[in-house]
Structure formats: structure tokens, C-alpha cells
Amino acid sequence: MHTDKKNRKKPLIILIIVLAAVAAILYMAADRYLIQHVKVNNALDTGNTGTENSDTNYTSDDWNYNSDSVTIKINKVSTGTGDDTVTYYTADVTLKDSSSLKSAFADNKFGQNIVEDTSVIASANNAIFAVNGDYYGFRDDGIIIRNGKIFRDIPARTGLAFYSDGSMKIYDETATTAEKLIKEGVTQTLSFGPALVEDSKAITGLGKVEIDTNFGNHTIQGSNPRTGVGIISPNHYVFVVVDGRSSGYSKGMSLDEFSELFVNLGCTDAYNLDGGGSSTMYFMGKVVNNPLGRNHERGVSDILYVG
């Protein structure tokens, strides 16, 4: 009799253990990918006030912006036919002063799982032009300096640094610190990658590269939507957003193709930012590209913008 009771209890105990394990896994997944973890509120003072562009003496249209301090020329390019069609957007940006290149966080908060659409963050910061950043909130390492302020100093990968003299350099995070970079004049860092161009030469063999190995991340090989930034000379940058995963409109680019594109655009150095559904270009109040061919943005944790 006692044996029968014990035998009946075993399946119940096993079920409780399984349910507890599943609940723990679901909580960990939600904590990692859904639950907001705010580390810094009111993270960045961008100096923007009001809702109108503070650069009052300017001319613009759907593809161009010109003032004494900022020049932006956007171009749409489509190549190939049918399933091999690729559509991408380039933005040639020249600044009078490096301080016009800024960064902003979703909801102006630094942390994990805090996201807003690129256009929402851009609008909130009175941006003329913007692209999505490195999605720093997806990981907990890397050197993160934004608008001259240190937010994270956990070296992990090849990073990108913008300097107050208008230069842009690709660097090894593990060979320096955030404090050293600040002393050298760094105003912004991005931690994603890989590097695409160095010393005017395309970096090849990027087909098997991985940026992160944490759960939920995938390789970024193959043809995909892309976002990247390159430099021609101090304060003269080229931003590129490639649409993808949309048959007949744009299949996307491989990293090797992306690196060659930046060389063809005259860049001495270039760096890959977060791509896929994040890839978004914003200009004068609207999204320029067509994310995933569905005109639907994906929330991101940060942007790089001209203001």
C-alpha cells in the first residue's frame, strides 16, 4: 500500500521539478531579453532644446542638407535584377566641427533591454540625420563612450572611436582603457564590428566572422541588411545602410561586399554596425530606407546622429 503511494508521488514530484526548471529558464530569458535594466537615467545631455532644427540658415530637400556647419548628400542605389537585386543608401556627411556628430540612447537611459525605433530616438534629439548604432544593450561588455562620457569599460573586441579632431580610428579594445581613450580625445566609441576597411584596403575573409557567442546571437555572414560608417578625411564621413531579406527589392550584402563598397566610396577606414532588422537611416524627419522591405523599424538601444 505504501509502495503504491510512493509510486504515485514520483510523477508529481518530477512534474514539479520540470515546471520549476521551465519557469527558471523562462525568467532568465525574460531577464536577459525583455526586462529593462536601467543603469543610468537621463544618460546624455545632448544640448538640444526645442523641437526645431537649431541650424536656422540651411537649405534642404528629400536627399540633401546644406548649411555653414553641415553638408549631407544621400543617394539611393539599386543594382542587379530579380532575386539578386540589392538596394542601399549612402550618406556623404561633411561637418565643420566634430561636435555635430553625437550619440543618443533609447529613452535617454543606459542599460539593457531599453529600446526605441531609430526614428523615435532621432526625433527626440532633434537630429538632422541618424543611423542605428551598435545595439550596446544586447551585450554587457565592450568600451562604451558616448558624447565624451564613459558608460562601460569592459574591453572585448575590435572597436571604433571618433575623436574631437574629426578623425575616426579602428582599435583593439583589449589594448587600452576608456580613461586612456578619453585623454586621447575620443568622444564616441562603438563596439560591434568587424572592421571593414583599414588604410584604404578592404578587409576580406569576413564570411565566418562572429561578433558575439552569447545565447540568441548568430553569425552575420551571408547576404543581410547592413549598417556601417566610413571616413574619407577628418569630419568627412560616409554612412551606408543596405536593405535586405526582401526578394525582388534587396537581398542584402555579405560583409566582404560591404567592405568593398566602402573602398569604392573612397573611405580610408570603415566599420560595421548592428544590422539585420536594426538597419535604419533617418533624414529630416523620416526613415529613408525600407527596413526588411516592410517599412517597419526594429527597436534599438542607441543611434549615431548629426544634430
Side-chain angles (χ1 to χ4, degrees):
M1 187 70 174
H2 292 295
T3 301
D4 290 341
K5 287 183 178 180
K6 288 181 180 179
N7 289 336
R8 286 196 297 269
K9 286 182 179 179
K10 282 182 180 180
L12 180 60
I13 293 172
I14 293 172
L15 178 61
I16 292 172
I17 293 172
V18 170
L19 290 175
V22 171
I25 291 171
L26 289 174
Y27 174 77
M28 287 189 292
D31 186 63
R32 175 66 181 84
Y33 298 107
L34 298 174
I35 299 172
Q36 287 193 2
H37 296 279
V38 179
K39 297 182 179 180
V40 182
N41 271 302
N42 299 316
L44 293 171
D45 179 8
T46 62
N48 291 323
T49 57
T51 58
E52 296 296 325
N53 181 3
S54 60
D55 194 353
T56 55
N57 297 315
Y58 70 91
T59 60
S60 69
D61 57 33
D62 288 344
W63 302 99
N64 300 278
Y65 180 97
N66 291 281
S67 74
D68 291 338
S69 57
V70 176
T71 299
I72 301 171
K73 298 178 181 179
I74 295 176
N75 191 34
K76 177 182 178 180
V77 180
S78 289
T79 63
T81 59
D83 291 343
D84 290 325
T85 302
V86 177
T87 301
Y88 63 90
Y89 298 79
T90 66
D92 189 293
V93 177
T94 303
L95 308 176
K96 182 178 181 180
D97 191 294
S98 65
S99 63
S100 295
L101 183 64
K102 304 173 185 289
S103 183
F105 296 136
D107 202 24
N108 200 20
K109 297 174 182 177
F110 178 83
Q112 287 184 301
N113 302 325
I114 307 165
V115 299
E116 288 183 314
D117 289 349
T118 294
S119 61
V120 173
I121 307 173
S123 178
N125 287 275
N126 196 25
I128 302 169
F129 168 86
V131 293
N132 60 287
D134 63 3
Y135 211 147
Y136 78 86
F138 182 75
R139 60 193 64 81
D140 56 9
D141 57 16
I143 294 180
I144 307 298
I145 299 171
R146 301 297 167 88
N147 299 352
K149 183 177 178 179
I150 298 172
F151 287 90
R152 184 185 292 158
D153 191 7
I154 307 175
R157 59 184 63 82
T158 298
L160 179 68
F162 292 93
Y163 289 76
S164 58
D165 64 0
S167 61
M168 182 189 95
K169 298 177 183 178
I170 294 164
Y171 74 104
D172 180 0
E173 290 181 342
T174 64
T176 187
T177 67
E179 288 287 353
K180 288 181 180 178
L181 292 172
I182 289 288
K183 290 178 181 179
E184 293 169 0
V186 170
T187 56
Q188 319 282 348
T189 63
L190 294 157
S191 185
F192 197 87
L196 299 170
V197 179
E198 288 189 273
D199 298 324
S200 299
K201 296 180 180 179
I203 298 173
T204 58
L206 298 174
K208 295 182 179 180
V209 70
E210 289 188 4
I211 300 304
D212 297 300
T213 56
N214 52 333
F215 177 77
N217 190 62
H218 305 281
T219 60
I220 54 175
Q221 58 189 340
S223 296
N224 282 295
R226 307 283 180 191
T227 300
V229 58
I231 187 168
I232 294 176
S233 60
N235 283 322
H236 186 183
Y237 308 101
V238 176
F239 297 85
V240 181
V241 167
V242 182
D243 282 336
R245 302 176 189 169
S246 179
S247 179
Y249 166 64
S250 186
K251 68 176 183 178
M253 281 188 186
S254 69
L255 285 170
D256 285 345
E257 291 169 334
F258 205 33
S259 64
E260 286 289 348
L261 175 59
F262 276 100
V263 170
N264 293 337
L265 291 169
C267 295
T268 61
D269 297 271
Y271 188 82
N272 184 59
L273 300 176
D274 184 28
S278 299
S279 290
T280 306
M281 182 180 287
Y282 170 97
F283 179 64
M284 296 296 288
K286 64 181 182 181
V287 174
V288 174
N289 68 310
N290 184 357
L292 298 179
R294 298 194 296 267
N295 285 310
H296 181 70
E297 295 177 71
R298 181 173 74 184
V300 297
S301 59
D302 59 310
I303 65 169
L304 194 62
Y305 74 98
V306 175

